Amino acid sequence: MGDRRMFSMQIVDSDAFLDMPLSTQALYFHLSMRADDDGFVDNARKIMRAVGCSQDDMKILFGKNFVLAFEDGVCVIKHWRIHNYIRTDRKKTTAYIEHFDKLDTKENGSYTLKKSNVSQVTTTCLPSDNQVTTQVKLGKANISKGNINTLSGETDGVYQEVIDYLNEKAETQYRSSSAKTKSLIKARVNDGFKLEDFKTVIDNKVSEWQNTEMAKFIRPETLFGTKFESYLNQKKGQSLGVDWLKDHKMKWDE
């Protein structure tokens, strides 16, 4: 394992990262410094105790997808390959081959869990008398990683989950702390929509609008506004883009 690690400003200077408590940011850096050459860590609790951080700090890293965890306690730095590039002749392959095989690498270099293995990623690398399960509690927010179907409209964790998904799919850096964004998400939750509905809308519009002149509208005020239900019920291949907007004479804030 190498004794030098790098960190990408693209990740550590993002609003999502800087919005975390300083103790959580410090834990992220310590985990990254001790990870193997593929970004895997097998002693997260030991590191957490050694640097004086709490389980809440680890939960936040899981909840915000900066660290992915497996059932047996092994975890991996999601953006490892964005941070570090190690020459093949100097790289020591991870010992956690079975875990590595459960991951895909996105075009930008970040790890993502293969769909067939979603249920196997948990936060149980922090076992205690009150075993941490796949339900992660962040403050007042309950976020069930990998299988979230309901939302509570008064929690920061809810806003974070939706915006993190948008940022990941659209490669944007919107802030979940924005008052306008919170009000939009809360309004849709009050209408009875679930987290999977938000993800479906994001998937639909990213697929349709990304790399087109409509890409600028892949933003919270457009996706989660009054046309949310239309986007949700959009059939695959159906266009609700420029022509649709013109026909309905809609006005958008630039």
Side-chain angles (χ1 to χ4, degrees), residues 70 98 101-103 113-121:
F70 295 87
E98 292 183 3
D101 288 342
K102 295 176 182 178
L103 301 173
L113 193 71
K114 293 180 179 178
K115 292 183 179 180
S116 60
N117 295 303
V118 167
S119 63
Q120 298 183 40
V121 170

Side-chain angles (χ1 to χ4, degrees), residues 182-193 224:
K182 287 184 175 182
S183 67
L184 288 166
I185 294 174
K186 181 178 179 181
R188 303 292 76 79
V189 172
N190 290 343
D191 287 340
F193 294 106
F224 310 143

